[in-house]
């Protein structure tokens, strides 16, 4: 199976890019962040405190999280319910960032991700795909952009969706999440030694997709 790993911080454009690359190559796109978000939604709905790691460890084995593809779109099922529409709220984002530091949460989702990559050709995006989940991926990309550029993208996205948007607040949130994602003891956000660094700050989506397709063609 062909495995392509795309890692990087929030807002670097991973999901947009990974989706496009997967479509071009006819591989399956796996958004691992959505799995962490589904777990977070479960914890949030059950009133679990994001700082209570014992409770998170205790309860994270309970939910059944599966991924299905319907008309080419990834659908995340939490105990059978399509929860795609609930995964992007600020509450779930915050809970996902906090609960994803928990080793029991990571172990559970790791298994699910590796199982998918064994069965299918995948473009998988996340934080630890090239380093931990798919260390033998044929192609590894580390996608990044400056915090300011990433914040501006999220800000414009929110405005487009009619969501509240405060550039200063979004920048602060992005920096806080980077800090947490990079400094956690288990599977921190880190460029794999054999990953190719792609800085998207001054590139269009089209240019980034082209660049990655060229890297894939060179390696496979
Ligand atoms: O990519 P995202 O914003 O949807 O990810 C949500 C959270 O999940 C983010 O705070 C980091 C975490 N995450 C992770 O720890 N490991 C992954 N492979 C993917 C996401």
């Amino acid at each position: 199976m062909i495995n392509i790993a795309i890692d990087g911080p929030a807002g670097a454009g991973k999901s947009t890019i990974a989706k496009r690359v997967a479509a071009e190559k006819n591989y399956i796109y796996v958004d691992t962040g959505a799995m962490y978000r589904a777990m977070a939604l479960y914890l949030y709905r059950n009133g679990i405190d994001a700082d209570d790691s014992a409770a998170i460890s205790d309860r994270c084995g309970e939910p059944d999280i599966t991924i299905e593809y319907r008309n080419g779109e990834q659908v995340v099922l939490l105990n059978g319910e399509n929860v795609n529409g609930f995964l992007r709220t600020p509450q779930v984002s915050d809970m996902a960032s906090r609960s994803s530091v928990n080793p029991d949460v990571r172990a559970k989702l790791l298994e699910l991700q590796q199982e998918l990559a064994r069965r299918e050709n995948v473009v998988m995006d996340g934080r630890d795909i090239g380093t931990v989940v798919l260390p033998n991926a044929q192609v590894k990309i580390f996608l990044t952009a400056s915090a300011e550029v990433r914040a501006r993208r999220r800000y414009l996205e929110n405005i487009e969706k009619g969501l509240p948007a405060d550039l200063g607040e979004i920048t602060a949130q992005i920096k806080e999440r980077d800090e947490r994602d990079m400094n956690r003891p288990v599977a921190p956000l880190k460029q794999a030694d054999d990953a190719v660094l792609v800085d998207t700050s001054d590139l269009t989506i089209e240019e980034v997709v082209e660049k990655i397709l060229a890297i894939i063609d060179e390696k496979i």
Side-chain angles (χ1 to χ4, degrees):
M1 289 290 122
I2 305 223
N3 290 174
I4 296 176
I6 302 188
D7 290 300
K14 289 187 308 284
S15 59
T16 309
I17 304 290
K19 220 179 277 176
R20 291 277 294 273
V21 170
E24 287 286 337
K25 302 299 291 182
N26 222 353
Y27 301 162
I28 285 189
Y29 165 56
V30 182
D31 171 2
T32 63
M35 297 178 175
Y36 283 93
R37 288 171 182 273
M39 173 64 78
L41 178 64
Y42 179 79
L43 298 170
Y44 181 73
R45 282 179 172 176
N46 284 279
I48 291 160
D49 183 343
D51 292 321
D52 189 347
S53 60
I56 292 174
S57 286
D58 233 32
R59 307 284 306 267
C60 72
E62 294 170 1
D64 179 39
I65 296 171
T66 47
I67 295 232
E68 276 185 10
Y69 294 88
R70 298 181 182 165
N71 309 319
E73 279 298 305
Q74 171 178 274
V75 176
V76 182
L77 300 172
L78 174 60
N79 294 326
E81 173 194 355
N82 175 352
V83 291
N84 277 14
F86 301 100
L87 301 182
R88 308 271 149 202
T89 65
Q91 292 83 351
V92 170
S93 297
D94 189 63
M95 178 62 107
S97 172
R98 290 168 187 274
S99 57
S100 62
V101 305
N102 185 295
D104 297 314
V105 168
R106 302 205 72 84
K108 172 164 172 147
L109 298 183
L110 173 83
E111 214 172 276
L112 200 58
Q113 292 155 8
Q114 289 180 333
E115 171 62 26
L116 270 167
R118 264 195 296 274
R119 285 201 318 255
E120 315 269 1
N121 293 328
V122 294
V123 178
M124 191 175 283
D125 84 6
R127 303 293 190 289
D128 60 338
I129 310 306
T131 50
V132 177
V133 181
L134 306 176
N136 298 320
Q138 291 91 336
V139 180
K140 298 180 185 179
I141 307 285
F142 195 81
L143 212 59
T144 184
S146 71
E148 285 68 26
V149 167
R150 290 185 283 127
R152 203 162 53 240
R153 287 179 186 160
R154 185 58 41 94
Y155 169 78
L156 293 173
E157 234 173 68
N158 284 2
I159 288 186
E160 205 167 287
K161 289 186 196 151
L163 294 171
D166 177 301
L167 186 57
E169 206 173 289
I170 294 173
T171 311
Q173 275 167 3
I174 284 207
K175 287 186 174 164
E176 189 189 320
R177 276 179 64 190
D178 282 357
E179 205 39 46
R180 195 158 41 220
D181 291 348
M182 288 188 293
N183 292 313
R184 66 178 175 226
V186 183
L189 169 64
K190 182 171 149 278
Q191 183 179 347
D193 292 336
D194 51 350
V196 181
L197 178 72
V198 177
D199 187 326
T200 71
S201 300
D202 301 314
L203 298 177
T204 64
I205 292 172
E206 216 49 60
E207 288 169 329
V208 179
V209 171
E210 288 303 317
K211 205 172 187 143
I212 293 178
L213 289 174
I215 295 168
I216 294 172
D217 286 342
E218 201 176 283
K219 300 218 179 220
I220 295 179

